[in-house]
């Protein structure tokens, strides 16, 4: 075969066939092979021109313009290539270049209407753009004049600053600001030191850098990376966050977010790797610098977490992670080791150390082989061992706190270090210290090191008595609460297995009661109250504790209020507690036979607590909804922070799914913004988390008004998660509820229907119409019924060589009336939109006449109405033979009986359509009017 197809002409012809058949990718493949083999310039030009057409179809406009240019290089009068390049350049926003191309086309073919229309349209667009540009120039200058005028009114300054930011988000505005000496003027704004001015300047820079590599690189060099870092280091949360966004925009533009076609300017766009490395070095310097504020440090760590580890593990390049480990791992460990209660520590927020732990974990996960992991462990080991000093207790607790940071991040690394000689002894010694700060650090380290059962069993024998002693003896509530959490954690080592309780009956309830008491104590600082939630996160695995907690309104509301606070380290503990209270954790189905076998062989069998049964769970869900859980969840989901990890998102998705189980509660969820909050959970996170969130969305969209549940443009974001539930790997309930919700959406407007089709849902919906399960088949048919108004769907029914139309016709006589109604409705709309389908319907099955008669004789007016509409469509189809056949059959008699019936409000719509059919038959001359004797 390869020998036969070694000729470029054959590849070209093969490509043409694929293109005509709509197989664009295969056509591109053939044209590319032809290009590689072709030596004749004229043939090569034709192939490039053809491949350009393919790229236009695929909306790959840069490639389309490039290929068309290569064809034009051979033949400057190639009108097809010129027009294709014009179309591509227009899509790329290069209107002036597109105008020149179509001008040449109209000179070559002056009578071509398409060329003349395009010339007129582009001319008008260019004039409008010039008008906008000139007005933009004056607006930009005017805004800077207002901002830099010392005597100008404050409100006017704020308005000018906001307008500048809005302008910079548009490509034309960003370019005008840049060209009109905007960078030096923005630097003047930064120098004012006023928060509003600094924010306006930073946000304007972010708009100018978004998606434009050349401009982003120019701004880096004009402003300076050090300057941007010094701004992010300021002790102001808004400024730090805005600068972080600017760095992210720069990073995205330099690493491939820019998809513009620069043409000959492409060669002028420099290699960005040097700038990216400089930014990485600057961020690592910020991590452990005393000059950086807590907010600045958080954002530096956030940027490293987002951009250093690979997003796709298939990507072989993880050099950024290796570089960060070599040049920054000890700096990150230094942040983890800080003790806020001691003097001379790095400035930090309540979130800093946990963000550092998350970064440590992401770097560890990004490593690819054992030698790299060994190096990571050695750096950590060396750092922690280097801090131990028998004569300096502050250095010792710094080492133990750094170890706590590892235990909260890459647990495997921290766990190994805990097992090293001297570490556990040091923790025990610190627990017995007279200094309260030593006890606090040691207790926290004990808590974090007992995460796994094997370690917990070691600490149960060694640490429980220690923690009990501290709990009883200390008068400091901060230490007391931490010791209590340690006991809670060890007390919950059996999970929700009722038979594996670690402590005596009632002990866990007492611990939980104390946790709730501290949680409600608003006089305590947030950091200490957070530990009360940590305790409940473990203890609520016990069903008695869950019930007591949801019955305690003040405690529940206190937790929800803390979940809304700025301290995001609390997110995970709150999510754990909510998962436990709703029983939405993963449960394995245990076969009764295996239980009997285990009992017979005297193996341990997990037991369910009586209060973990469905009715108790439902009562808890109702209490939580009443207590305001949805408003807390919506705030938690909005946390733009690396602390909202995929695992936390998954737990929040599980909670939402449990809360949405009862259709009666779904209105409450929507009313408090739960529908909107679910969208980001369904689009980002772990695979399981996205499925759970999408399922919760499906439950809401299936029974609610989608326009209220997902207001504005958000409704279009819901489509993709719902379509993902149609995948064959999803279970039947998920398929069914996704189909119901898509039916609901498809019934709203054309834009939503087009969005559903763009997400490639159509083949999946068609597949489910063949499903054995009645409910799924019905839901898929109802969904298809709402989609048939789209031209793309109608075209699929017009295609030959498939059973789509036959299936719909045969469904009209199914026993399931809802399925009948949906199928008949789909047929009625299809035959109205495409007259050819009226004739095709008679060819797909010999029983079509009998099926039609059964529809128009149906005792359900809705089904009967749909049948009569199909009859009218057939009479109106311009197929005289078909109309004649209908009027020669029993259908005429049935229409006559229905049409002669007395007016009846309940059946009026049916009677009216029957009469319309008879009138149409009279117009066609197939029957004569009624005559009265």
């Amino acid at each position: 075969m390869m020998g036969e197809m070694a000729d470029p002409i054959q590849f070209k012809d093969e490509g043409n066939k694929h293109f005509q058949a709509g197989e664009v990718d295969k056509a591109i493949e053939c044209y590319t092979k032809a290009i590689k083999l072709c030596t004749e310039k004229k043939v090569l030009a034709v192939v490039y021109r053809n491949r350009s057409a393919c790229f236009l179809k695929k909306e790959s406009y840069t490639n389309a313009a490039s290929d068309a240019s290569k064809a034009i290089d051979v033949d400057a009068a190639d009108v097809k290539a010129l027009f294709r390049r014009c179309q591509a350049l227009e899509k790329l926003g290069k209107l002036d270049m597109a105008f020149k191309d179509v001008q040449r086309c109209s000179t070559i073919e002056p009578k071509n209407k398409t060329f003349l229309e395009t010339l007129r349209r582009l001319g008008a667009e260019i004039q409008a753009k010039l008008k906008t540009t000139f007005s933009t120039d004056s607006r930009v200058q005017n805004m800077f004049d207002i901002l830099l005028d010392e005597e100008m009114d404050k409100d006017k300054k704020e308005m000018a600053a906001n307008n500048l930011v809005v302008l910079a988000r548009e490509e034309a505005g960003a370019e005008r600001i840049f060209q009109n000496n905007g960078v030096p003027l923005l630097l003047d704004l930064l120098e004012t030191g006023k928060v509003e001015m600094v924010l306006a300047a930073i946000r304007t820079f972010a708009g100018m850098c978004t998606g434009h590599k050349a401009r982003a690189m120019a701004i880096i060099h004009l402003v300076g990376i050090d300057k941007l870092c010094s701004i992010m280091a300021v002790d102001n949360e808004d400024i730090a966050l805005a600068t972080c966004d600017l760095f992210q925009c720069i990073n995205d533009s330099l690493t491939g977010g820019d998809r513009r076609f620069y043409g000959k300017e492409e060669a002028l766009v420099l290699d960005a790797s040097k700038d990216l490395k400089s930014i990485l070095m600057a961020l690592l310097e910020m991590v452990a610098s005393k000059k950086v504020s807590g907010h600045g440090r958080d954002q530096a760590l956030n940027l490293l977490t987002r951009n250093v580890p690979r997003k796709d593990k298939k990507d072989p390049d993880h050099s950024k992670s290796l570089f960060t480990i070599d040049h920054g791992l000890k700096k990150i460990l230094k942040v983890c080791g800080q003790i806020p209660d001691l003097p001379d520590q790095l400035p930090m927020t309540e979130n800093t150390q946990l963000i550092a732990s998350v970064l440590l974990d992401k770097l560890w996960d990004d490593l690819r082989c054992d030698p790299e992991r060994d190096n990571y462990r050695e750096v950590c080991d060396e750092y922690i061992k280097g801090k131990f000093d028998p004569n300096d207790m502050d250095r010792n607790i710094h080492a133990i706190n750094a170890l706590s940071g590892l235990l909260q991040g890459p647990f495997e690394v921290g766990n190994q270090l805990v097992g090293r000689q001297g570490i556990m002894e040091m923790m025990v010694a610190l627990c017995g210290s007279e200094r309260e700060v030593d006890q606090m650090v040691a207790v926290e380290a004990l808590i974090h090191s007992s995460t796994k059962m094997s370690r917990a069993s070691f600490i149960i024998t060694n640490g429980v008595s220690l923690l009990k002693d501290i709990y009883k003896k200390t008068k400091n509530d901060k230490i007391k609460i931490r010791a209590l959490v340690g006991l809670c954690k060890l007390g919950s080592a059996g999970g929700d297995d009722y038979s594996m309780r670690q402590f005596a009956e009632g002990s866990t309830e007492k611990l939980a009661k104390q946790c709730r008491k501290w949680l409600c104590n608003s006089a305590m600082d947030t950091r200490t109250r957070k530990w009360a939630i940590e305790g409940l996160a473990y203890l609520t695995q016990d069903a008695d504790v869950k019930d007591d907690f949801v019955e305690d309104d003040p405690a529940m509301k206190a937790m929800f209020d803390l979940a809304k606070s700025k301290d995001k380290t609390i997110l995970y503990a709150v999510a754990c507690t909510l998962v436990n209270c709703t029983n939405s954790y993963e449960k394995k189905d245990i076969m009764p036979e295996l239980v009997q076998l285990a009992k017979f062989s005297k193996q341990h069998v997990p037991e369910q607590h009586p209060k973990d049964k469905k009715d108790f769970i439902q009562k808890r869900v109702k209490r939580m909804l009443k207590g305001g859980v949805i408003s807390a969840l919506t705030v938690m989901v909005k946390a733009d922070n690396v602390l909202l990890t995929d695992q936390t998102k998954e737990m929040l998705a599980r909670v939402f799914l449990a809360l949405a189980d009862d259709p009666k509660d779904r209105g409450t969820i929507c009313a408090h913004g739960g529908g909107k909050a679910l969208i980001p959970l369904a689009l980002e996170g772990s695979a399981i988390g996205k499925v759970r969130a999408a399922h919760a969305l499906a439950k809401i969209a299936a029974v609610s008004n989608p326009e209220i549940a997902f207001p504005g443009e958000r409704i279009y974001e819901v489509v993709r998660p719902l379509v993902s539930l149609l995948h064959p790997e999803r279970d039947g309930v998920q398929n069914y509820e996704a189909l119901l919700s898509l039916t609901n959406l498809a019934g709203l407007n054309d834009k939503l229907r087009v969005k559903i089709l763009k997400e490639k849902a159509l083949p999946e919906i068609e597949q489910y119409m063949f499903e054995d399960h009645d409910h799924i088949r019905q839901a898929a048919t109802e969904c298809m019924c709402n989609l048939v108004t789209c031209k793309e769907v109608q075209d699929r029914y017009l295609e030959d060589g498939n059973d789509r139309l036959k299936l719909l016709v045969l469904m009209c006589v199914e026993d399931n009336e809802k399925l009948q109604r949906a199928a008949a409705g789909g047929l009625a709309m299809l035959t109205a939109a495409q007259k050819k389908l009226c004739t095709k319907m008679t060819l797909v099955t010999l029983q079509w006449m009998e099926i039609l008669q059964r529809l128009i004789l149906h005792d359900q007016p809705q089904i009967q109405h749909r049948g009569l509409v199909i009859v009218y469509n057939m009479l109106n189809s311009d197929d005289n033979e078909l109309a004649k056949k209908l009027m020669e059959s029993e259908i005429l008699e049935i229409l006559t009986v229905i049409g002669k019936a007395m007016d009846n409000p309940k059946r009026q719509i049916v009677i009216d359509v029957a009469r319309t059919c008879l009138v149409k038959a009279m117009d066609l001359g197939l029957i004569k009017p009624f005559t009265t004797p």
Side-chain angles (χ1 to χ4, degrees):
M1 183 68 187
M2 285 306 291
E4 289 172 34
M5 287 288 285
D7 179 10
I9 302 290
Q10 282 181 280
F11 276 126
K12 175 177 80 74
D13 294 342
E14 193 71 21
N16 294 348
K17 285 177 190 171
H18 286 306
F19 184 76
Q20 283 159 8
E23 297 164 343
V24 181
D25 288 324
K26 287 181 181 176
I28 290 172
E29 204 177 305
C30 288
Y31 292 142
T32 305
K33 286 176 183 174
I35 287 164
K36 285 177 184 173
L37 295 168
C38 194
T39 52
E40 196 183 326
K41 276 191 173 182
K42 283 190 177 178
V43 176
L44 196 58
V46 172
V47 179
Y48 272 123
R49 186 180 72 199
N50 291 358
R51 196 171 72 169
S52 174
C54 294
F55 284 130
L56 276 174
K57 281 262 187 195
K58 284 183 70 71
E59 299 180 11
S60 178
Y61 301 118
T62 304
N63 289 330
S66 175
D67 273 8
S69 296
K70 285 168 186 168
I72 293 161
D73 288 343
V74 176
D75 179 4
D78 186 338
V79 75
K80 283 186 180 178
L82 280 165
F83 191 62
R84 277 168 199 167
R85 188 169 72 176
C86 160
Q87 289 173 297
L89 290 169
E90 184 189 350
K91 292 290 184 182
L92 291 164
K94 295 188 173 287
L95 299 183
D96 49 345
M97 291 165 73
F99 184 79
K100 283 177 189 172
D101 279 347
V102 77
Q103 210 169 28
R104 282 166 71 187
C105 289
S106 59
T107 307
I108 298 163
E109 292 184 16
K111 291 183 180 178
N112 188 311
K113 287 181 181 178
T114 305
F115 297 161
L116 293 170
E117 171 57 29
T118 308
L119 191 67
R120 186 198 59 73
R121 182 171 51 76
L122 285 177
E125 282 180 28
I126 288 167
Q127 287 302 314
K129 193 177 177 185
L130 284 170
K131 194 176 175 183
T132 307
T133 301
F134 288 127
S135 64
T136 303
D137 285 351
S138 56
R139 277 167 66 202
V140 169
Q141 196 54 54
N142 186 33
M143 283 176 218
F144 278 119
D145 290 342
I146 293 169
L147 290 168
L148 294 167
D149 185 347
E150 289 292 329
E151 294 172 12
M152 188 57 70
D153 180 36
K154 188 187 173 188
D155 290 343
K156 280 190 178 177
K157 278 193 171 188
E158 279 185 16
M159 191 180 289
N162 290 332
N163 288 343
L164 199 62
V165 174
V166 170
L167 198 61
R169 287 177 187 153
E170 300 165 12
E171 174 53 32
E175 192 56 30
R176 296 325 301 164
I177 295 169
F178 186 72
Q179 297 292 350
N180 282 16
N181 202 33
V183 176
L185 290 168
L186 288 167
L187 283 169
D188 290 344
L189 284 185
L190 291 176
E191 292 306 319
T192 62
K194 293 174 183 171
V195 173
E196 296 81 11
M197 299 296 110
V198 173
L199 282 171
I202 291 293
R203 286 169 182 161
T204 305
F205 274 134
M208 290 164 72
C209 290
T210 300
H212 201 296
K213 188 175 184 179
R215 203 160 50 220
M217 289 180 76
I219 286 169
I220 290 171
H221 291 282
L222 289 166
V223 179
I225 293 167
D226 291 341
K227 176 72 178 172
L228 291 176
C229 287
S230 68
I231 295 165
M232 193 160 79
V234 171
D235 191 13
N236 180 296
E237 189 175 0
D238 291 336
I239 290 175
L241 190 57
T243 318
C244 173
D245 287 341
L246 169 56
F247 268 123
Q248 191 60 53
C249 291
I250 291 169
N251 180 80
D252 291 346
S253 293
L254 300 194
T255 54
D258 188 358
R259 293 280 176 267
R260 282 175 180 74
F261 173 64
Y262 290 105
K264 288 177 182 175
E265 305 155 38
E266 197 77 57
L268 302 174
V269 180
L270 303 168
D271 178 20
S273 58
K274 195 175 175 185
D275 287 329
L276 287 166
K277 191 174 178 182
S278 300
I279 292 170
L280 181 54
M281 283 297 290
L283 291 174
L284 289 172
E285 281 304 311
M286 285 184 76
V287 167
S289 168
K290 280 194 174 179
K291 294 176 185 173
V292 177
S293 70
H295 295 301
R297 200 177 319 282
D298 282 3
Q299 299 310 333
L301 288 164
N302 275 336
L303 284 165
L304 291 167
T305 307
R306 277 187 217 147
N307 301 306
V308 170
R310 291 166 296 168
K311 287 179 176 65
D312 182 3
K313 290 289 186 278
K314 290 175 187 171
D315 179 3
D317 181 20
H318 67 319
S319 55
K320 285 189 287 188
S321 287
L322 297 177
F323 183 86
T324 303
I325 289 165
D326 289 342
H327 295 85
L329 185 53
K330 288 186 178 178
K331 290 171 182 170
I332 302 164
L333 288 168
K334 183 179 178 179
V335 173
C336 290
Q338 299 299 296
I339 316 290
D341 298 332
L342 290 180
D344 200 31
Q345 300 293 295
L346 296 175
M348 294 192 303
T349 70
E350 57 273 11
N351 299 323
T352 308
Q353 287 176 303
L354 196 54
I355 297 172
S357 289
V358 171
L359 176 53
L360 288 172
D361 192 41
K362 298 254 183 189
L363 290 171
W364 172 256
D365 278 347
D366 204 38
L367 299 179
R368 294 174 59 195
C369 59
D370 288 342
E372 290 172 1
R373 293 186 191 95
D374 290 341
N375 174 56
Y376 186 105
R377 285 193 198 94
E378 282 164 21
V379 174
C380 296
D381 195 18
E382 189 185 311
Y383 180 83
I384 287 168
K385 272 201 285 194
K387 289 291 172 189
F388 281 131
D389 185 345
N391 303 315
D392 189 341
M393 199 54 88
D394 285 358
R395 283 175 68 84
N396 290 338
I397 59 172
H398 177 93
I400 295 295
N401 220 31
L403 185 56
S404 278
L406 280 167
L407 288 162
Q408 289 174 86
F411 181 81
E412 191 183 323
V413 179
N415 198 25
Q416 230 175 6
L417 292 173
V418 170
R420 294 280 165 89
Q421 193 178 357
I423 301 274
M424 193 55 77
E425 288 80 356
M426 175 60 74
M427 287 189 198
V428 172
L430 288 170
C431 284
S433 167
E434 290 179 9
R435 278 205 320 177
E436 289 180 338
V437 68
D438 297 345
Q439 292 179 27
M440 208 181 312
V441 169
V443 172
E444 283 187 23
L446 273 173
I447 292 165
H448 296 311
S449 62
S450 61
T451 297
K452 297 275 168 82
M453 271 289 278
S454 58
R455 179 64 52 193
S457 60
F458 168 77
I459 291 172
I460 284 168
T461 53
N462 294 278
V464 171
S465 55
L466 203 64
L467 290 169
K468 281 183 178 174
D469 276 354
I470 293 172
Y471 181 68
K472 286 172 187 170
K473 288 174 186 173
T474 186
K475 290 177 182 173
N476 183 331
D477 275 346
K478 289 182 181 182
I479 297 169
K480 212 178 197 47
I481 200 166
R482 283 162 175 78
L484 179 73
V485 172
L487 291 168
C488 292
K489 194 169 183 180
L490 298 173
S492 65
D496 68 343
D497 183 354
Y498 186 50
S499 63
M500 283 277 286
R501 290 181 157 201
Q502 297 289 332
F503 296 145
E505 189 77 36
S507 294
T508 43
E509 286 94 314
K510 282 179 189 172
L511 292 172
K513 191 177 179 182
Q514 185 60 56
C515 282
R516 298 203 311 272
K517 187 179 165 188
W518 271 318
L519 180 57
C520 296
N521 185 355
S522 54
M524 275 187 166
D525 63 290
T526 305
R527 199 161 160 238
T528 306
R529 289 169 73 203
K530 180 195 85 174
W531 281 98
I533 300 176
E534 290 274 356
L536 287 167
Y538 297 112
L539 292 173
T540 47
Q541 290 181 45
D542 184 298
D544 288 317
V545 175
K546 297 178 204 187
D547 255 31
D548 292 345
F549 177 63
V550 296
E551 293 294 326
D552 188 343
D553 272 342
M556 197 161 54
K557 283 178 179 168
M559 183 176 84
F560 295 157
D561 289 342
L562 281 174
K564 298 173 192 174
S565 71
K566 284 187 177 183
D567 185 348
K568 300 303 172 195
T569 59
I570 218 158
L571 293 176
Y572 186 76
V574 173
C576 281
T577 308
L578 294 176
V579 164
N580 289 340
C581 290
T582 55
N583 282 50
S584 50
Y585 38 73
E586 202 74 56
K587 288 288 281 182
K588 286 182 183 174
D589 292 327
I590 300 169
M591 291 169 64
E593 295 86 349
L594 288 178
V595 173
Q596 292 301 321
L597 189 63
K599 283 180 179 174
F600 179 74
S601 58
K602 296 184 178 174
Q603 295 293 315
H604 169 68
V605 180
E607 288 178 30
Q608 188 186 38
H609 193 291
K611 288 185 180 177
D612 272 333
K613 289 184 176 160
K614 195 170 182 181
D615 53 339
F616 280 96
I617 297 167
Q618 287 171 339
K619 282 178 193 170
R620 287 201 290 269
V621 163
K622 304 281 182 199
R623 292 282 306 183
M624 289 164 77
L625 285 166
K626 197 177 172 186
V629 66
I630 299 296
S631 59
L633 286 168
T634 53
V635 173
M636 290 166 77
V637 168
K638 284 177 194 167
D640 179 24
N641 198 295
V642 291
L643 296 182
L644 189 66
T645 59
D646 287 355
Q647 196 178 354
T648 308
K649 285 180 192 171
E650 184 184 317
M651 288 196 286
L652 296 178
R654 286 176 182 278
V655 173
F656 265 121
L657 184 57
L659 296 172
D661 191 52
D662 186 345
K664 291 174 191 170
D665 295 328
R666 293 172 199 171
T668 309
I669 294 170
C670 293
H672 291 92
K676 287 185 287 182
L678 271 164
I679 296 169
L681 294 178
L683 294 171
E684 291 176 7
S686 68
I688 294 172
K690 287 193 284 189
V691 170
R692 296 288 182 275
H695 193 184
L697 278 174
K699 282 180 180 290
I700 290 168
V703 297
S704 313
N705 179 344
E707 290 172 308
I708 294 170
F710 316 105
E713 291 298 303
R714 290 185 185 274
I715 196 166
Y716 300 100
E717 295 175 45
V718 177
V719 175
R720 183 172 295 171
L722 295 179
V723 172
S724 73
L725 292 180
L726 298 181
H727 195 280
E729 284 183 9
R730 305 281 82 85
D731 66 43
V733 175
Q734 291 168 346
N735 299 153
Y736 175 65
E737 291 184 326
L739 287 164
L740 289 182
S741 53
L742 287 169
T743 305
N744 211 355
L745 291 174
L748 290 175
N749 59 51
D750 275 336
K751 197 175 170 185
L752 271 167
R753 287 190 277 274
V754 170
K755 176 71 176 165
I756 291 168
L757 299 181
K758 269 194 171 180
E759 293 295 339
K760 298 183 172 60
L762 200 53
E764 304 281 9
I765 296 166
E766 284 179 344
Q767 193 63 41
Y768 288 117
M769 287 173 72
F770 289 91
E771 180 71 42
D772 287 337
H773 196 289
D774 283 349
H775 285 86
I776 292 177
R777 194 151 48 114
Q778 175 197 317
T781 309
E782 286 172 348
C783 191
M784 185 60 76
C785 179
N786 281 355
L787 290 171
V788 292
T789 53
C790 295
K791 181 76 170 58
E792 188 183 325
V793 180
Q794 293 164 18
D795 289 346
R796 285 172 81 92
Y797 277 90
L798 283 165
E799 286 171 13
D800 291 325
N802 64 71
D803 289 332
R804 291 188 187 102
L805 191 63
K806 183 178 181 179
L807 177 70
L808 216 51
V809 173
L810 294 176
M811 278 179 172
C812 291
V813 286
E814 288 275 351
D815 292 337
N816 180 341
E817 284 188 354
K818 287 182 179 176
L819 180 60
Q820 267 186 297
R821 189 174 62 202
L827 270 179
M829 286 190 277
L830 282 168
T831 50
Q834 297 289 342
K835 291 182 178 182
K836 286 180 186 175
L837 287 173
C838 295
T839 309
K840 187 177 177 182
M841 185 179 148
T842 64
L843 305 173
V844 292
T845 172
L846 296 171
Q847 286 88 37
W848 67 272
M849 183 76 79
E850 186 189 329
I851 290 167
L852 209 49
Q853 287 173 12
R854 285 180 66 177
L855 281 178
I856 62 176
L857 285 169
H858 207 285
D859 54 0
Q860 280 285 337
Q862 287 182 320
I863 296 172
Q864 192 179 17
H865 171 237
R866 284 159 172 75
L868 288 163
V869 170
I870 297 167
V871 171
Y872 174 78
N873 293 339
M874 288 177 146
L875 290 169
N876 195 39
S877 68
D878 304 334
D879 184 340
N880 292 332
E881 282 301 312
L882 174 58
K884 194 177 174 186
K885 200 178 284 185
L886 284 173
M887 291 301 102
E888 286 172 355
S889 71
E890 290 176 16
I891 283 177
L892 174 59
E893 192 181 332
I894 299 165
L895 289 173
T896 308
V897 171
I898 299 169
K900 279 183 175 178
M902 297 283 290
D903 285 358
N904 177 350
K906 289 182 180 176
R907 303 185 64 84
Q908 195 59 43
I909 192 166
V910 172
I911 296 166
D912 288 346
V913 178
R915 288 171 182 172
T916 309
C917 288
L918 291 166
V919 170
K920 183 69 186 174
M922 280 190 272
D923 292 347
L924 292 170
L926 298 172
I927 58 171
K928 291 179 181 177
F930 293 121
T931 53
T932 50

